[in-house]
Amino acid sequence: MLTEFNTSLPSIKQFQSFIQQTQQLELKLVTGDIIAGKIIWQDQHCMLLVDSEEQKITVWKQAIAYMKQI
């Protein structure tokens, strides 16, 4: 069963804003790892982050402990 991607949610709007502004972000994952980069796209489960070395990293949203602008 597919769930609709609800673009009216504040968190989704915030991610979209970061994508449009090509905002540099730092993500701390629940594993304790920290990754930094820019979000290229998101869907209801994942996002694609590109780091400073142009490496593409797919991150499951449920793996994010917190996110901050840098």
Side-chain angles (χ1 to χ4, degrees):
M1 180 175 168
L2 292 175
T3 57
E4 188 173 321
F5 189 57
N6 188 347
T7 57
S8 68
L9 294 173
S11 62
I12 301 298
K13 287 182 179 183
Q14 183 181 40
F15 282 117
Q16 286 304 113
S17 173
F18 291 152
I19 292 168
Q20 291 170 350
Q21 297 171 11
T22 62
Q23 178 68 49
Q24 187 76 14
L25 303 171
E26 179 180 280
L27 304 178
K28 181 163 186 174
L29 306 180
V30 295
T31 60
D33 296 311
I34 296 175
I35 55 177
K38 297 176 184 175
I39 302 172
I40 302 302
W41 57 257
Q42 69 165 330
D43 64 22
Q44 62 202 51
H45 302 290
C46 299
M47 67 178 68
L48 182 70
L49 197 76
V50 176
D51 68 12
S52 61
E53 298 174 2
E54 299 298 316
Q55 187 174 21
K56 295 178 181 176
I57 306 165
T58 301
V59 179
W60 286 85
K61 290 180 178 177
Q62 67 189 26
I64 300 170
Y66 70 80
M67 173 177 62
K68 66 180 182 178
Q69 298 177 8
I70 54 175

